[in-house]
Amino acid sequence: MHPLRVSVRAVCYRDDTLLLAEHRDERGLWYILPGGGIQHNETLDIAFKRELLEETGGEADMGDVLFVREVIADKLDTTFLPQHLHQIELFVEATNFRDVATPSQPDKNQIGTIWMPLERLPSLLFFPKTMVEAFQTRQFDRIYQGHIM
């Protein structure tokens, strides 16, 4: 049996930029929002703050859940996700972001963070790519977005 994983991702805007975790692997550069798995007995707000600090060295206030996506690796044509991964991701608004330290535990292949101009999102290898327009317009029309990449 493969457990369902729940994770939280911080959606942090500064002017017309979005804070992204920058990664490099055999695909080249790719980008995701900072965040990760919620640990056993950890609340969503604590996981939000821990993951943000680990991956960006920053702190922010946790706002509202903007949307939820589901990822089921076995239903996708990719070899870059762990086999049998089934993950629910909560994308949460981050407000009042402030740099406080250096990232303490970047993800595998993470080379840094970047404030990415919103107009550049369509040209990046960015996940979830189907949500680029919503991130650019800051309009999230539904909470549950379904199984998307």
Side-chain angles (χ1 to χ4, degrees):
M1 181 165 170
H2 304 282
L4 175 67
R5 183 171 191 245
V6 180
S7 71
V8 60
R9 299 227 168 260
V11 181
C12 187
Y13 291 101
R14 180 186 288 164
D15 300 320
D16 290 327
T17 63
L18 183 63
L19 183 62
L20 300 179
E22 186 173 44
H23 297 256
R24 183 189 311 272
D25 63 16
E26 58 269 25
R27 297 172 286 182
L29 291 175
W30 56 276
Y31 303 86
I32 58 175
L33 292 153
I38 299 170
Q39 298 173 357
H40 181 70
N41 284 334
E42 185 177 48
T43 63
L44 178 61
D45 59 329
I46 297 297
F48 171 87
K49 290 182 180 295
R50 177 184 51 76
E51 286 288 342
L52 198 57
L53 187 62
E54 286 177 359
E55 293 185 11
T56 72
E59 293 179 347
D61 298 323
M62 188 177 112
D64 291 332
V65 174
L66 299 174
F67 69 94
V68 175
R69 89 165 172 162
E70 189 166 11
V71 178
I72 303 172
D74 295 348
K75 293 186 178 195
L76 298 170
D77 294 329
T78 180
T79 58
F80 293 101
L81 293 171
Q83 188 177 22
H84 308 304
L85 173 74
H86 186 184
Q87 180 165 279
I88 303 293
E89 292 184 324
L90 306 168
F91 288 76
V92 177
E93 178 184 27
T95 60
N96 303 315
F97 180 85
R98 54 220 169 262
D99 291 310
V100 296
T102 58
S104 60
Q105 293 183 355
D107 281 348
K108 179 183 176 190
N109 298 321
Q110 183 181 345
I111 60 171
T113 57
I114 185 169
W115 288 98
M116 185 63 68
L118 294 173
E119 73 264 7
R120 291 201 48 215
L121 289 180
S123 65
L124 303 174
L125 184 53
F126 168 77
F127 302 101
K129 60 186 170 188
T130 56
M131 295 298 294
V132 165
E133 184 177 342
F135 284 116
Q136 288 181 304
T137 62
R138 303 177 195 206
Q139 299 292 315
F140 305 95
D141 61 348
R142 302 176 305 174
I143 296 293
Y144 177 64
Q145 294 292 327
H147 177 253
I148 60 171
M149 276 303 285

